[in-house]
Amino acid sequence: MLADVPLQSRFLLGTAGYPSPQVLRKAIEASGAQVVTLGLRRQLAGTGGDNGFIDIIKASGARLLPNTAGCRTAREAVTLAHMARELLDTHWIKLEVVGDEHTLQPDPWELTDAAARLVKEGFEVFPYCTDDLVSAQRLIDAGCRILMPWGAPIGSGQGLLNPWALRTLRARLPGITLIIDAGIGVPSHATQAMELGFDAVLLNSAVAHAADPVGMARAFRLAIEAGRLGHASGLLAAQDMAIASTPVAGRPFDL
Amino acid sequence: MSDPSEAIVNVNGETRTLRDETTVAELLVSLGHEPESVAVAVNGDFVPRAIRGKHVLRNGDQIACFKPIVGG
């Protein structure tokens, strides 16, 4: 379940940076994603069409999760969220409010302010946040029931830079839907996130910029399924010393 | 002095001169936008579709029209 919607897939896919609309369509299919993200942009004079990407996204049948990319203040993000709701007929919003230009790290104060306002206005807010526990709790206080902490900075492909912080979030927020968003570079990063007990993974660049985006979409689909199944099946606890697995008794020739 | 029968506004980064009392809905028609193809903000505030016909543009207003794009 995601925001009360039953879904079979735990893979949320971004739609930017694909070589063509046809590759995007095939990648969405291969990913099995039932939620895809998109953005909004101001129309400037002389800017052309979108080459059919938006039509492909709408025709995919996936639920749309518009974002507020580019926003630096709560006011901007709230305005953009309202526009997205009107344009795309969804109350879901991936709330992004950036506080640093180099890392694109979320601004926790503006983010929480925007989240509180949007929740009151009937939005289902998916805040893109850091892995800081107390900021996460403030977002929950604001009414969020889904959080999307970063694994690493957007597009960096570094994977889960702070597994301890992510494990702590999972342990301290057991009733919250937690989705790793950003920083995933390779399928094993997604598996690791799922093994940590996260509910889903959202990524874009690792698929869109692959040599074969369709193949990579499938690879991530399998990686996410594997990680989830591993988590649900009970992972072996790591230990410092060897524990023999073959049930021999003593040494084979010593009686 | 600007002509009181006109409003000079900025639309998506370009300066435009509108006749006074032009509404957001009328501006979108003049721009050739299908009403449901864009969302509009005036001076950073969202103007819902339902009130575009009542929202009169004033001298100095900044109008921004947004459309969906690909995104992560």
Side-chain angles (χ1 to χ4, degrees):
Chain A
M1 298 288 279
L2 181 62
D4 302 325
V5 175
L7 299 174
Q8 281 74 52
S9 170
R10 294 176 180 273
F11 188 1
L12 292 78
L13 186 62
T15 60
Y18 291 82
S20 72
Q22 291 70 32
V23 171
L24 171 59
R25 180 177 59 76
K26 289 178 183 172
I28 293 173
E29 285 174 9
S31 72
Q34 294 173 293
V35 178
V36 294
T37 57
L38 66 174
L40 296 186
R41 184 169 64 194
R42 189 162 65 131
Q43 296 300 290
L44 295 174
T47 54
D50 77 338
N51 298 322
F53 277 102
I54 296 302
D55 289 341
I56 290 284
I57 293 167
K58 288 181 175 174
S60 73
R63 290 187 72 93
L64 304 181
L65 178 57
N67 67 33
T68 62
C71 290
R72 300 294 186 268
T73 66
R75 182 179 182 233
E76 289 172 348
V78 168
T79 299
L80 214 56
H82 280 282
M83 292 180 155
R85 181 160 70 175
E86 183 179 82
L87 271 174
L88 299 166
D89 196 25
T90 177
H91 68 295
W92 287 13
I93 190 75
K94 175 182 166 181
L95 186 61
E96 293 183 51
V97 189
V98 161
D100 179 72
E101 299 306 316
H102 287 271
T103 60
L104 300 180
Q105 180 169 336
D107 180 325
W109 289 272
E110 294 293 320
L111 184 69
T112 306
D113 181 10
R117 288 197 237 170
L118 290 169
V119 167
K120 284 183 187 145
E121 291 165 0
F123 286 85
E124 188 73 60
V125 178
F126 295 59
Y128 168 59
C129 56
T130 68
D131 52 23
D132 180 78
L133 174 61
V134 177
S135 313
Q137 288 169 327
R138 294 293 87 82
L139 287 165
I140 295 164
D141 293 342
C144 296
R145 51 185 186 159
I146 298 161
L147 299 179
M148 301 210 296
W150 65 355
I154 294 170
S156 70
Q158 298 183 80
L160 309 185
L161 288 178
N162 192 344
W164 177 85
L166 296 171
R167 273 199 305 274
T168 303
L169 277 186
R170 180 68 289 173
R172 297 287 294 126
L173 308 173
I176 299 295
T177 298
L178 293 177
I179 301 170
I180 291 287
D181 177 11
I184 298 289
V186 297
S188 58
H189 294 156
T191 304
Q192 185 188 7
M194 300 307 293
E195 287 172 349
L196 288 176
F198 280 75
D199 295 287
V201 172
L202 194 166
L203 61 100
N204 188 153
S205 302
V207 168
H209 298 161
D212 173 9
V214 179
M216 190 61 81
R218 179 167 157 71
F220 270 103
R221 174 187 193 160
L222 296 172
I224 289 165
E225 288 177 6
R228 178 66 185 179
L229 185 57
H231 173 75
S233 304
L235 298 164
L236 181 68
Q239 302 192 65
D240 285 338
M241 298 300 164
I243 300 174
S245 52
T246 304
V248 292
R251 293 172 60 179
F253 301 108
D254 286 350
L255 298 176
Chain B
M1 292 290 289
S2 59
D3 185 335
S5 67
E6 294 178 337
I8 298 173
V9 300
N10 185 296
V11 183
N12 298 327
E14 287 193 331
T15 302
R16 279 181 172 257
T17 302
L18 309 177
R19 68 167 175 73
D20 200 26
E21 302 296 313
T22 296
T23 66
V24 170
E26 290 167 338
L27 173 65
L28 292 182
V29 170
S30 74
L31 292 172
H33 288 308
E34 291 293 326
E36 297 191 355
S37 71
V38 292
V40 182
V42 176
N43 303 325
D45 291 323
F46 174 55
V47 179
R49 205 175 282 155
I51 64 167
R52 287 176 187 168
K54 298 175 189 163
H55 189 113
V56 174
L57 294 167
R58 300 298 180 197
N59 204 42
D61 277 350
Q62 306 271 333
I63 300 104
C65 302
F66 285 75
K67 286 190 173 184
I69 57 166
V70 293

